[in-house]
């Protein structure tokens, strides 16, 4: 990206019309020819000024590695949650320690109160049940209560205190947090847990899934400072890394799955459950830890140790960006272990008995963790837990995913499971901004999911008949991927198409461009470089260019910024000379190399991949000369790497 200076492109643009005129068919005027052959030529990617400033400050680089001055802030949370199913309430309390590793003194802290997406009058991109949102009962700094103000103007005037602003909270501290220092806030809060048919969390009377449930520090990063955008529904998250201590209090008999390693199994689990879990930790077979008959206090969980008939489960998680948990008295519990190449990790699956396909959930999770550990990097966390219920699709949280119930096929549950588990790598480990660049996590995840499903079922999920991308490619439903997730129409497929199917398919095309070895080397390098950090798209682009040694702005521009389609077509095949020639026409606007396979009468095959120079020069066709021989068949992109929207013109047979 950084290698091609802009003036080269200016020259190309000046040269292109001249070439177009030369290529004009006889009889037409040069003006008509220029129009006929005019094509958009991908222009260089210019990183935002804030990124360029970060390069100057040495926190970012132009080769895709984090700069030598790169930093992230950090935090420690000690959180307590109590769920009371009788009134659907969550009561929370805890401390939040912000550790300032930035070079800036910070007097203002920004936090998310995402539960307020359920408050009256919020700006939303999705329908949401109105629960009133989160009530922050108090907030103290170093043990002293802070004053709650009602507007940001008041906050500015007072110069100290906190104010709730929709789904955010702004805190002005009595004094700045200097670089290297930390500050601890303590707080109590509560909210009514929304019912089912909500998004990403909620309760259905039997299952409670708690996410976005505590005041959560926004990210203060090296490129943009505080990034605390509204939670409106569609656009997802941007979260910093932290260590967590979590305690969850629920009635006895309720099983809890959560981010983090369970710290007190002997206090909250029945002995039988503990011994079956130990068994599961040492086998790749699925162990039924809690069966339908085992459910309840004394057999699944321990008997209550709190006077009010509850148990308090404690968890600890290091270097995660969030904590969430699911709980139900109705769940059964399967467990096994998965090999991560650096040891093993526990696999847990919690679901209501009889939920279709879920008896294979642990098997699917085990495969996903192992496949992704091989493909990207070893899974670093102590467990991966899938819990069933509430929502339609699936939602990812560190070490845990919530997946909606009955599935009509193994492929369906496998697909969602693999997808959500793939998110453990991006955006959980590689901490991208999902709101601004949803394609960075959903596109990579869609790519991974197709790889995983193809491997598991022995299918090819990239073939156009299986790939959802082709349903909307080139249609009015298509929108560019480089767009804020809350800026797509809320009632159309544009956001999902631009964030999932399209970038996933474009990454498959990139693999076709670079070849498997280089593509995966670059992909792994990107994950490795940016683990527990916050890459932007430029860091992604630069890493692929750095590893491949190729300038790829033409690819990024077409794949992620525009909504151009690809249609390569065999225009003609000439076998009259010593060597056969194939003329390939580019009938649409997306710039991609030509991948061509020729088959000869004796069974020999030749594969050719052109570079994109002719298209960048404004050409609309290219002629490829093949080795001499009795040519029998020519196919364009026979393995369907490229997103060619019309494959009816891709083959020639003698
Ligand atoms: Zn996803």
């Amino acid at each position: 990206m950084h290698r091609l200076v802009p003036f080269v492109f200016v020259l190309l643009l000046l040269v292109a019309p001249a070439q177009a005129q030369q290529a004009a068919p006889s009889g037409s005027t040069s003006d008509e020819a220029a129009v006929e052959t005019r094509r958009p030529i991908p222009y260089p990617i210019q990183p935002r000024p804030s990124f360029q400033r970060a390069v100057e400050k040495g926190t970012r680089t132009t080769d895709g590695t984090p700069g030598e001055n790169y930093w992230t802030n950090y935090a420690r949370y000690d959180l307590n949650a109590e769920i009371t199913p009788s009134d659907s309430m969550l009561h929370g309390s805890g401390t939040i320690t912000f550790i300032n590793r930035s070079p800036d003194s910070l007097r203002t802290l920004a936090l998310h109160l995402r539960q307020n997406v359920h408050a009256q009058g919020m700006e939303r991109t999705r329908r949401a049940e109105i629960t009133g949102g989160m009530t922050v009962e108090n907030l103290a700094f170093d043990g002293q209560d802070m004053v709650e103000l009602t507007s940001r103007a008041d906050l500015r005037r007072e110069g100290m205190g906190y104010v709730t602003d929709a789904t955010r909270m702004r805190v002005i501290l009595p004094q700045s947090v200097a670089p290297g220092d930390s500050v601890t806030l303590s707080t109590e809060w509560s909210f009514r847990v929304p019912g089912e048919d909500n998004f990403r969390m909620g309760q259905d009377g039997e299952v409670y899934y708690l996410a976005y449930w505590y005041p959560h520090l926004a990210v203060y990063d090296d490129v943009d400072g505080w990034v605390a955008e509204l939670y409106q529904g569609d656009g997802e998250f941007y979260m910093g890394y932290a260590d967590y201590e979590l305690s969850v209090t629920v009635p006895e008999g309720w099983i809890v799955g959560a981010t983090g390693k369970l710290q007190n199994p002997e206090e909250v689990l029945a002995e039988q459950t503990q011994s079956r879990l130990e068994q599961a930790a040492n086998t790749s077979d699925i162990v039924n830890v809690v069966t339908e008959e085992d459910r309840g206090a004394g057999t699944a969980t321990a008997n209550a140790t709190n006077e009010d008939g509850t148990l308090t489960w404690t968890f600890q998680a290091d270097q995660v960006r969030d904590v969430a948990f699911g709980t139900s008295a109705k769940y059964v519990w399967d467990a096994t272990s998965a090999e991560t190449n650096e040891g093993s990790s526990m696999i847990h699956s919690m679901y209501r008995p009889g939920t279709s396909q879920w008896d294979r959930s642990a098997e699917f999770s085990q495969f996903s963790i192992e496949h992704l550990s091989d493909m990207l990097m070893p899974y670093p966390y102590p467990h991966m837990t899938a819990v069933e219920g509430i929502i339609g699709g699936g939602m990812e949280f560190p070490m845990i995913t919530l997946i909606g119930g009955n599935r009509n096929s193994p492929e369906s549950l496998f697909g969602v499971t693999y997808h959500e588990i793939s998110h453990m790598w991006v955006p959980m480990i590689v901490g991208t901004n999902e709101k601004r660049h949803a394609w960075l996590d959903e596109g990579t995840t869609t790519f991974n999911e197709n790889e995983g499903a193809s491997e598991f079922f022995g299918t090819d999920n990239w073939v156009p008949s299986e790939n959802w991308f082709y349903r909307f490619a080139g249609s009015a439903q298509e929108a560019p991927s480089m767009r804020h997730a809350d800026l797509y129409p809320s009632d159309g497929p544009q956001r999902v198409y631009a964030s999932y199917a399209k970038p996933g398919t474009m990454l498959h095309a990139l693999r076709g461009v670079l070849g498997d070895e280089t593509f995966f080397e670059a992909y792994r390098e990107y994950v490795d470089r940016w683990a527990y950090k916050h890459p932007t798209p430029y860091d992604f682009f630069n890493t692929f260019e750095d590893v491949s040694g190729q300038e790829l702005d033409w690819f990024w521009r077409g794949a992620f910024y525009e909504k151009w389609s690809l249609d390569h077509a065999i225009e003609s095949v000439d076998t009259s000379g010593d060597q056969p020639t194939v003329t390939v026409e580019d009938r649409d606007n997306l710039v991609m190399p030509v991948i061509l396979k020729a088959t000869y009468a004796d069974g020999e095959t030749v594969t050719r991949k052109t570079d994109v120079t002719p298209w960048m020069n404004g050409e609309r066709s290219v002629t490829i000369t093949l080795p001499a021989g009795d040519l029998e068949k020519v196919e364009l992109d026979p393995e369907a790497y490229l997103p060619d929207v019309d494959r009816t013109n891709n083959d020639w047979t003698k």
Side-chain angles (χ1 to χ4, degrees):
M1 182 172 88
H2 53 285
R3 293 191 184 82
L4 202 53
V5 288
F7 70 81
V8 173
F9 273 82
V10 175
L11 288 177
L12 286 177
L13 290 168
L14 292 173
V15 167
Q19 288 176 334
Q21 282 167 28
Q22 284 161 16
S26 59
S28 64
T29 69
S30 58
D31 275 2
E32 280 169 1
V35 170
E36 269 170 32
T37 56
R38 187 179 295 160
R39 65 173 303 151
I41 295 178
Y43 56 100
I45 306 298
Q46 290 279 8
R48 286 189 285 118
S50 56
F51 183 88
Q52 293 177 341
R53 281 194 295 275
V55 171
E56 284 158 23
K57 286 186 290 189
T59 61
R60 305 274 160 159
T61 66
T62 54
D63 65 8
T65 52
E68 56 183 25
N69 298 329
Y70 185 79
W71 51 268
T72 59
N73 284 324
Y74 210 74
R76 268 197 309 274
Y77 291 82
D78 190 342
L79 304 176
N80 312 297
E82 179 163 16
I83 299 289
T84 49
S86 56
D87 59 3
S88 310
M89 289 296 289
L90 176 138
H91 292 274
S93 64
T95 61
I96 302 163
T97 301
F98 171 72
I99 302 163
N100 185 8
R101 302 200 302 206
S102 84
D104 309 321
S105 284
L106 299 172
R107 191 149 168 231
T108 300
L109 300 182
L111 292 96
H112 292 283
L113 306 177
R114 297 191 180 93
Q115 204 54 225
N116 281 348
V117 75
H118 295 284
Q120 189 84 43
M122 290 293 133
E123 278 179 54
R124 275 184 290 266
T125 48
R126 289 188 182 192
R127 259 187 283 276
E129 179 184 336
I130 302 303
T131 63
M134 182 186 281
T135 303
V136 176
E137 281 142 23
N138 53 60
L139 183 77
F141 162 78
D142 276 353
Q144 286 193 311
D145 276 344
M146 297 191 73
V147 179
E148 181 173 15
L149 299 160
T150 51
S151 72
R152 287 169 67 166
D154 278 353
L155 185 61
R156 274 194 299 276
R157 231 183 337 268
E158 295 293 324
M160 189 168 37
Y162 68 97
V163 66
T164 296
D165 171 19
T167 63
R168 301 167 294 200
M169 177 194 272
R170 182 177 294 257
V171 180
I172 298 187
L173 300 165
Q175 70 234 22
S176 295
V177 193
D181 277 1
S182 62
V183 61
T184 298
L185 302 173
S186 54
T187 178
E188 292 176 295
W189 68 94
S190 62
F191 60 89
R192 183 164 67 77
V193 182
E196 56 187 322
D197 259 353
N198 269 303
F199 42 92
R200 305 192 182 107
M201 55 86 59
Q203 56 85 18
D204 64 6
E206 292 183 346
V207 170
Y208 277 69
Y209 193 90
L210 272 300
Y212 325 115
W213 63 275
Y214 60 96
H216 192 183
L217 283 163
V219 176
Y220 182 90
D221 72 22
D222 63 305
V223 176
D224 292 310
W226 285 114
V227 182
E229 297 181 302
L230 285 179
Y231 179 41
Q232 296 183 272
D234 275 347
E236 293 193 310
F237 310 102
Y238 186 37
M239 297 172 172
Y241 293 95
D243 297 336
Y244 285 83
E245 304 275 346
L246 167 67
S247 79
V248 177
T249 300
V250 291
E252 62 175 3
W254 287 56
I255 287 169
V256 181
T259 304
K261 193 170 177 359
L262 180 62
Q263 300 297 297
N264 60 343
E266 65 294 337
E267 285 174 42
V268 296
L269 299 177
E271 267 178 33
Q272 171 179 273
T273 307
Q274 291 178 58
S275 66
R276 286 178 184 169
L277 277 176
E278 269 165 41
Q279 193 190 330
N282 295 300
T283 179
S284 57
D285 295 336
I286 311 296
V287 176
N288 303 122
V289 174
V290 172
T291 66
E292 190 167 357
E293 294 71 35
D294 296 334
R295 295 180 300 176
T299 46
T301 73
N303 291 308
T305 50
N306 300 329
E307 274 176 16
D308 60 356
T310 60
L311 283 166
T312 299
W313 301 53
T314 60
F315 299 86
Q316 191 211 321
D318 293 336
Q319 214 170 27
V320 291
R321 53 172 234 166
D322 194 10
V323 284
F325 61 93
T327 181
S328 179
K330 302 288 185 187
Y331 279 155
V332 295
W333 182 353
D334 294 344
T336 184
S337 58
E339 295 303 317
T340 66
N341 299 327
E342 276 185 2
S344 69
S345 179
M346 288 291 289
I347 299 292
H348 302 293
S349 179
M350 299 170 175
Y351 55 97
R352 283 165 283 198
T355 314
S356 64
Q357 311 299 336
W358 274 77
D359 54 350
R360 295 189 69 185
S361 161
E363 175 198 350
F364 295 160
S365 292
Q366 179 188 52
F367 175 88
S368 305
I369 288 289
E370 293 184 349
H371 189 254
L372 285 153
S373 291
D374 283 343
M375 189 163 77
L376 297 177
M377 69 177 266
Y379 182 66
Y381 296 124
H383 71 85
M384 181 67 224
T385 297
V387 303
E388 168 267 320
I390 306 172
I391 59 173
M395 187 60 208
E396 70 276 13
F397 307 88
M399 304 181 216
I400 185 167
T401 169
L402 172 66
I403 296 177
N406 286 310
R407 296 277 150 186
N408 56 18
S409 67
E411 286 80 2
S412 166
L413 184 60
F414 177 91
V416 186
T417 301
Y418 191 101
H419 181 103
E420 306 312 335
I421 290 179
S422 174
H423 279 311
M424 297 307 121
W425 280 262
V426 190
M428 298 300 157
I429 296 170
V430 177
T432 56
N433 183 332
E434 302 165 77
K435 244 190 237 304
R436 290 187 185 169
H437 310 295
W439 70 270
L440 269 182
D441 72 293
E442 297 300 355
T444 49
T445 292
T446 301
F447 175 87
N448 299 345
E449 182 188 339
N450 276 350
E451 289 295 293
S454 299
E455 176 77 20
F456 188 84
F457 293 106
T459 52
D460 180 358
N461 285 39
W462 292 113
V463 294
S465 58
E466 295 293 315
N467 187 347
W468 190 69
F469 165 83
Y470 292 95
R471 279 200 5 223
F472 293 102
S475 78
Q477 313 281 26
E478 188 170 352
S481 298
M482 283 289 281
R483 181 182 288 185
H484 192 290
D486 285 315
L487 296 177
Y488 292 98
S490 59
D491 62 346
Q494 286 90 341
R495 178 182 62 86
V496 174
Y497 180 79
S499 308
Y500 294 68
K502 183 176 176 184
T505 302
M506 291 299 164
L507 291 174
H508 186 59
L510 184 58
R511 165 203 205 159
V513 170
L514 299 177
D516 254 34
E517 197 181 329
T518 303
F519 173 83
F520 280 106
E521 189 190 340
Y523 192 5
R524 283 187 203 107
E525 181 68 18
Y526 164 72
V527 170
D528 186 57
R529 285 177 177 182
W530 291 96
Y532 312 108
K533 299 184 176 71
H534 299 300
T536 66
Y538 315 117
D539 302 304
F540 179 88
F541 300 155
N542 288 335
T543 295
F544 271 80
E545 297 193 357
D546 183 41
V547 172
S548 69
Q550 296 185 37
E551 196 285 311
L552 294 165
D553 274 18
W554 60 269
F555 185 91
W556 314 129
R557 177 67 62 191
F560 303 121
Y561 287 78
E562 299 291 343
K563 43 179 194 171
W564 295 331
S565 292
L566 175 73
D567 181 17
H568 285 172
I570 296 181
E571 175 66 16
S572 60
V573 176
D574 183 355
T575 55
S576 61
D578 291 343
Q579 287 180 273
T581 60
V582 180
T583 298
V584 177
E585 195 182 3
D586 188 358
R587 295 185 177 169
D588 218 316
N589 290 329
L590 183 66
V591 166
M592 286 286 164
V594 173
I595 300 175
L596 179 152
K597 183 182 175 193
T599 305
Y600 292 83
D602 60 5
E604 286 294 305
T605 61
V606 169
T607 299
R608 285 286 162 81
K609 186 156 69 182
T610 68
D611 67 21
V612 297
T613 308
W615 314 144
M616 295 299 283
N617 287 342
E619 308 275 354
R620 276 296 184 185
S621 69
V622 62
T623 297
I624 296 164
T625 303
L626 294 169
D630 186 3
L631 190 62
E632 195 123 87
K633 193 165 128 189
V634 178
E635 300 158 273
L636 296 182
D637 189 29
E639 292 176 85
Y641 281 113
L642 305 181
D644 193 325
V645 295
D646 183 358
R647 291 183 175 270
T648 62
N649 51 31
N650 283 20
D651 297 341
W652 172 90
T653 312
K654 186 173 161 185

